[in-house]
Amino acid sequence: MIEDRLSFFAALFKVHENPDVGMWLLYITIIILCIIVFKLGFAKKLPLLKSIVIYAFLILGCTVLTFLGVFLPIAEGLVVAAVILIIYKIRLHQEKKHRRASAE
């Protein structure tokens, strides 16, 4: 059955029962997760126009990822990447705070 092969988020959004709403929810989820991963791991301060271009291409690329994400764990991988980057940022912030405290 097709329901057995769906990824977690595709099954959660019931892509097999209601493909229109399910695919849009999966698309929005992947966009949000991609933006979080991009901001945490790769984003630098850029002028507004360059940021708009980057996010436009990011959203365009998420279209392909959404179709792959129905059967492959794309969104799940983005969740893992976001969690790892959040842990990294927290540890980096704590390390910088500790260095400032020991320098004083």
Side-chain angles (χ1 to χ4, degrees), residues 2-16 19 22-24 26-27 30 62-76:
I2 197 164
E3 297 91 23
D4 299 334
R5 296 185 353 201
L6 294 175
S7 68
F8 173 76
F9 280 100
L12 181 69
F13 298 139
K14 299 187 185 326
V15 171
H16 60 288
M23 286 299 284
W24 278 110
L26 184 62
Y27 182 58
I30 288 176
C62 287
T63 305
V64 176
L65 290 178
T66 301
F67 288 111
L68 293 173
V70 173
F71 295 110
L72 298 174
I74 301 295
E76 293 83 350

Side-chain angles (χ1 to χ4, degrees), residues 31-100:
I31 287 173
I32 291 169
L33 290 171
C34 279
I35 288 172
I36 290 170
V37 169
F38 177 73
K39 290 290 278 182
L40 288 173
F42 307 104
K44 296 186 180 195
K45 189 70 177 162
L46 293 173
L48 181 63
L49 187 59
K50 287 183 182 179
S51 293
I52 291 171
V53 169
I54 286 176
Y55 284 109
F57 279 108
L58 183 86
I59 291 170
L60 186 65
C62 287
T63 305
V64 176
L65 290 178
T66 301
F67 288 111
L68 293 173
V70 173
F71 295 110
L72 298 174
I74 301 295
E76 293 83 350
L78 288 168
V79 168
V80 171
V83 168
I84 290 171
L85 287 168
I86 288 169
I87 292 170
Y88 170 74
K89 291 289 186 175
I90 291 170
R91 302 251 334 190
L92 186 66
H93 178 70
Q94 289 175 344
E95 181 66 27
K96 286 181 181 179
K97 186 177 169 183
H98 179 69
R99 284 186 188 168
R100 281 194 303 256

